[in-house]
Every structure is written in structure tokens, then in C-alpha cells.
Amino acid sequence: MGQVIIGMGPHKRSATIEIINDREKILAQGRFGTDRDGYQTMLTLGRQHKDRVWAVEGCNGIGKHLAQRLVADGETVGRPGVRRCFSMLESPTYGTSIPYQQWAPTS
């Protein structure tokens, strides 16, 4: 299996994730609490995919605490650009999507 992107939309006390592959197929999705147990469940789901990158929306804002936790746990974290690349974010609230190939992790 190739690389997957785990797109995360953080909220105040939860985070919604969607895992997509390089063909933009949704492999898994869910909403998790940001407490210890919810975070651990989310991390376990993500770690089922060997070659992964976490794309955290608002990693300099509302998603900062989750991005920092992921990095502390040895995960690779990037951020989506201004236009989103995850189908879970394709609503009037979040904007439009861009193809998987146009997304790149931050350095």
C-alpha cells in the first residue's frame, strides 16, 4: 500500500479524521475525543498505515495542540493549504478540495 494522508479537522473537544490513499480513496474516517483515550484510539487507527502523513487543519491555531501531540509521538505532520484536500471538508463551511497530488507536507 502507498502513502496515505490523514486529514484532520480539529474542534474544541474532538477531531474528525479521514484517511485517503494516493488514488483519493477513503480508507477510514471517524470523530474522536481529544482526551487521552480518544487521542489514543485515533492514533491507533492512523498507525494501521505504515507510510502516513497527518495533515492538521489549523495547526497554528485550534489544531496546534493535536499537531504537537502527534509530533511528540513521532508522527509526520503537515498542513493542508488554503484550499482543502479532504472530502470531509468539502462543505460550504470549509471550502473546496484540491487533488491529493497537489498537497505537500510542510518541511
Side-chain angles (χ1 to χ4, degrees), residues 24-99:
E24 299 184 36
K25 179 181 178 193
I26 299 170
L27 304 176
Q29 55 190 350
R31 187 170 185 146
F32 304 89
T34 56
D35 60 351
R36 186 186 65 210
D37 293 337
Y39 172 80
Q40 197 60 46
T41 302
M42 179 179 66
L43 188 59
T44 300
L45 179 62
R47 286 183 170 169
Q48 292 177 6
H49 305 276
K50 184 177 180 181
D51 189 10
R52 64 189 174 273
V53 175
W54 293 79
V56 181
E57 182 182 15
C59 62
N60 288 322
I62 194 166
K64 186 174 184 175
H65 70 287
L66 287 169
Q68 290 175 334
R69 286 170 78 180
L70 289 166
V71 169
D73 285 332
E75 297 295 309
T76 302
V77 176
R79 68 169 187 237
V82 175
R83 298 182 70 205
R84 314 302 192 254
C85 59
F86 312 105
S87 64
M88 71 177 186
L89 301 177
E90 291 183 68
S91 70
T93 307
Y94 290 102
T96 59
S97 66
I98 60 172

Side-chain angles (χ1 to χ4, degrees), residues 1-13:
M1 186 182 310
Q3 184 183 51
V4 300
I5 293 179
I6 305 170
M8 179 188 297
H11 313 285
K12 287 184 180 179
R13 294 188 179 158

